[in-house]
Amino acid sequence: MVCTANDLQGWKDFPKGLKVLLLDGDINSAAETKAKLEAMDYNISSFYDENEALSACSNRPEDFHVAIVEVSTSSSQGGFKFLENAKDLPTIMTSNNHCLSTMMKCIALGAVEFLNKPLSEGNLRNIWQHVVHKAFNAGASVLPESLKPVRESVEFVLQLQTENGQHESKMLIDVDNMSKLSYSDHEHSTGSDKYPAPSTPQLKQGEQLHDGGDCQDQTNCSTEKESGEHDGDSKSVDTSCENLNTESTTQPIKPEKTLIKGEEDYADGCKGEIAVSLNPNNRKFLSKAGGNSTSSNKASVRDSCVIKANRKKMKVDWTPELHKKFVQAIEQLGVDQAIPSRILELMKVEGLTRHNVASHLQKYRIQNRQIVPREEDRRWTNRSDQMQRSYCAQRPIMAYPPYHPNHTLSPPPIYPFWGQPGSQTASVRVWGPLRYPLCQPFPVVHADAWGFPVLAPPEAPFSYIHNMGGLQNAKTVDYRFGVPQNSFEYHPAEEVVDKVVKEAMSKPWLPLPLGLKPPSADSVLAELSKQGISNITKDSSSS
DNA sequence: CATGCAATAT
DNA sequence: TATATTGCAT
């Protein structure tokens, strides 16, 4: 990623001072690892106890950039607890136990890499890659405090080269692309981005990450070019690390994010997109400002960035979060009053224009229209048929948690991410109904071959994996919802039904679940009488 | 000016 | 292809 000497000037000693949390129950191997790492100028904090390590990185998240955690063979929790709880820290798992399932478990639980013990020098030397990777590929919202300086630093360096000259543009990875990458990554992994990008080789049986795993050592990609005039302000990471100020005592906060990509033209006409925060309490991560980017004057940098970013029209990326706001606004207004300007007001998203909202609303309506098609004359008495057909045409209201004991048998229901905010964390943006094969938001992994579903989506609660009792009985588990499903029949819990009914009644403007039209009174009565219910306690319309 | 729809662009 | 933006009519 860094290809010229010039590029390196800001961080040629980058790993130096990088703060490594080392959790290893084995004192000897811990000492050994620590010594090796320190020889590489890493800054090691050793922990023997998992809980201590956890509380340390919880209390001082800024103190750690990356963690190396041993999978203890003795204790049952050994290391996994840390792995799961320190989600904001790129965590490398190590173990003497080289079995595949252990590795997979680590990776599935969010480890960025699994390294066999003993840790080779090459492995250790390159752990910084995970820091940079995380710093750039974590969604801005989940970027740990400790990584922000890294990111800013790297961005700054990259920015320098961008501004320096385009003569070597072929060699450069421009910040814009990184921004895009980061952005899209962020979209696909909402909660914690414990699922690393494919660029990290850890899923391939963990064997690639020998020294060859990274094609180049961080020191050897220089091209002998020395044309640095901007070096004065460039900061190495360890410097920036000193400027950390957050004292959060809880787990690193994941601020709500509302990101919008800004398009910006550069002097050379080259266009790029940068991510800007529309939320004032958010931090901007991609600095386009050329000047100093020390942590101390972040604010000014930030401001100038915003100004620069606002210079041009912004492309709104309707992230799930943004869309959620949008939907909430619409619900709040009611479908009748849902006009762009008011939605905009309710959304209270800085930088968002009425046009943006209007456009989005247009699409929203189109989608809604498509799934509330002319079913006018359809009778809800034809229920089975109805349900089958409209299965993938769910309304924004979730009827009840879907269950498909065998997804090859029953059509997997789709829950449009249009719909209920909070019903799911929509890292994948799905607009309304999908074609049938895509109806499943995520593929259900049959993990028989592996004995473990490694493709659990980021949304999958980790407890799901736990509940599997380790690695074995991985059946088809519907992990999309925290509700355990264990019945073959559609028997929605009463409270669920109640909830839906209540919701439907309180929000008459919303289409009904199950793709049903409001039945006429007649059809309702007919249906009820069919079911042997002759009397209903309804205030109007009856008898 | 705001809105919604259609065309266009990415 | 999907979806965001732009253009235009109301």
Side-chain angles (χ1 to χ4, degrees), chain A residues 399-503:
Chain A
Y400 39 80
Y403 175 58
H404 41 97
N406 183 339
H407 64 280
T408 61
L409 288 182
S410 66
I414 177 64
Y415 290 87
F417 290 79
W418 270 121
Q420 291 310 96
S423 292
Q424 59 277 100
T425 46
S427 69
V428 182
R429 275 175 287 167
V430 180
W431 294 75
L434 295 176
R435 285 169 299 282
Y436 178 83
L438 295 179
C439 278
Q440 270 174 265
F442 322 101
V444 173
V445 179
H446 277 292
D448 298 332
W450 294 90
F452 192 81
V454 293
L455 294 181
E459 291 75 13
F462 286 109
S463 57
Y464 146 63
I465 288 169
H466 278 167
N467 292 339
M468 289 167 33
L471 304 171
Q472 287 73 25
N473 47 1
K475 292 278 163 60
T476 304
V477 179
D478 192 337
Y479 44 69
R480 290 169 297 167
F481 304 88
V483 187
Q485 309 288 330
N486 42 24
S487 167
F488 268 67
E489 305 140 341
Y490 274 115
H491 278 165
E494 255 177 71
E495 55 267 37
V496 180
V497 175
D498 285 343
K499 185 183 167 200
V500 173
V501 170
K502 207 163 116 191
E503 185 162 24

Side-chain angles (χ1 to χ4, degrees), chain A residues 106-172:
Chain A
C106 291
I107 299 303
L109 288 176
V112 296
E113 187 179 1
F114 182 93
L115 295 176
N116 288 338
K117 281 173 121 181
L119 298 171
S120 77
E121 185 173 323
N123 286 145
L124 291 176
R125 185 176 296 284
N126 290 319
I127 59 174
W128 62 267
Q129 292 175 91
H130 296 295
V131 180
V132 174
H133 184 270
K134 174 100 180 184
F136 273 90
N137 292 292
S141 61
V142 296
L143 191 65
E145 285 296 321
S146 65
L147 296 188
K148 290 175 184 176
V150 175
R151 181 156 173 160
E152 286 169 2
S153 209
V154 175
E155 281 163 0
F156 176 68
V157 171
L158 295 174
Q159 177 60 27
L160 273 187
Q161 67 192 15
T162 306
E163 292 176 350
N164 250 352
Q166 306 300 321
H167 52 281
E168 44 188 357
S169 57
K170 289 290 192 298
M171 298 291 289
L172 301 180

